[in-house]
Amino acid sequence: MNSEIIKKFCDLLGEERVFTGEAMSRHTTFKIGGPADYFLMPDKDTDVGRIVKICKESAIPYFILGNGSNLLVGDGGYRGAVIQIYKNMSAVTVEGTEITVQAGALLSSVAAAAKNAALTGFEFAGGIPGTMGGAVVMNAGAYGSEICNVLSRAKVMTTEGEILELPAEELELGYRTSCIPKKNYIVLEAVFELTKG
């Protein structure tokens, strides 16, 4: 690992949110996976953009990590930077019938927030063990419904660090797919329109 790169990450995030040689088995639901060269825990959109910029300038591959469900990591680990958005970017805000969710929030937390606000439409996602970012990327669904049925818009970041707010119809959401991986977008936030019930 490069000490100059580590210093850049520490200057950006603080030493307490930068790890080297971090075992990925600590961050996957299957509890498997060798060490990641760099394990980074940003807490805001701008940090994600700056991390991606450092990685691109230094030719370091990067991977966006939620809570590690639906993910297998080999014993050899990951040669690059893992950017975990799960714990530090997980705010859920309810205003009227609209719920704004950061990409690191667990779907179960969003379903609970909807229930507590007497909103209906998100019950299908209560048992899906992932985060909002991954759910939007793959148009997660269960029990006859899916993300595209309630998603209003999403905030994404391009590989150049530009932040776009796109309506759901521009995300090309289909059965367990979207345009997000094709365009290498990073999901930062999603907004859902639910109904009283």
Side-chain angles (χ1 to χ4, degrees):
M1 276 150 293
N2 184 316
S3 58
E4 187 180 323
I5 301 299
I6 295 168
K7 183 180 184 317
K8 285 182 181 179
F9 288 142
C10 287
D11 288 347
L12 174 62
L13 301 173
E15 290 181 21
E16 68 282 358
R17 292 191 283 133
V18 176
F19 301 89
T20 57
E22 178 72 3
M24 290 303 295
S25 59
R26 296 181 187 157
H27 304 284
T28 61
T29 56
F30 287 110
K31 303 299 180 199
I32 61 170
D37 289 345
Y38 309 98
F39 189 88
L40 312 169
M41 301 172 69
D43 65 358
K44 53 186 175 288
D45 297 353
T46 51
D47 287 351
V48 175
R50 290 182 183 127
I51 291 168
V52 169
K53 184 177 182 197
I54 292 168
C55 288
K56 288 179 75 175
E57 288 171 350
S58 308
I60 297 171
Y62 62 88
F63 180 80
I64 304 297
L65 176 70
N67 77 330
S69 60
N70 203 22
L71 177 67
L72 301 174
V73 180
D75 291 342
Y78 184 72
R79 303 289 65 84
V82 173
I83 306 168
Q84 184 194 53
I85 59 166
Y86 162 47
K87 293 183 179 170
N88 294 327
M89 294 179 65
S90 57
V92 179
T93 309
V94 180
E95 288 184 29
T97 57
E98 194 172 82
I99 298 184
T100 303
V101 184
Q102 283 188 304
L106 292 172
L107 294 179
S108 56
S109 300
V110 181
K115 178 191 77 154
N116 293 340
L119 297 175
T120 187
F122 209 81
E123 298 85 350
F124 73 92
I128 299 174
T131 55
M132 186 52 65
V136 173
V137 169
M138 68 173 292
N139 189 27
Y143 307 110
S145 192
E146 50 194 353
I147 292 294
C148 67
N149 297 141
V150 287
L151 182 67
S152 171
R153 59 193 182 277
K155 190 192 315 183
V156 299
M157 180 179 290
T158 69
T159 55
E160 302 307 313
E162 182 184 5
I163 294 177
L164 308 173
E165 192 161 310
L166 302 174
E169 48 275 11
E170 287 186 26
L171 297 175
E172 300 172 23
L173 298 164
Y175 182 75
R176 306 300 170 259
T177 188
S178 71
C179 71
I180 295 166
K182 296 173 206 154
K183 296 187 176 182
N184 290 314
Y185 289 156
I186 297 170
V187 177
L188 300 171
E189 187 178 271
V191 180
F192 296 90
E193 183 62 46
L194 304 180
T195 54
K196 287 285 183 187

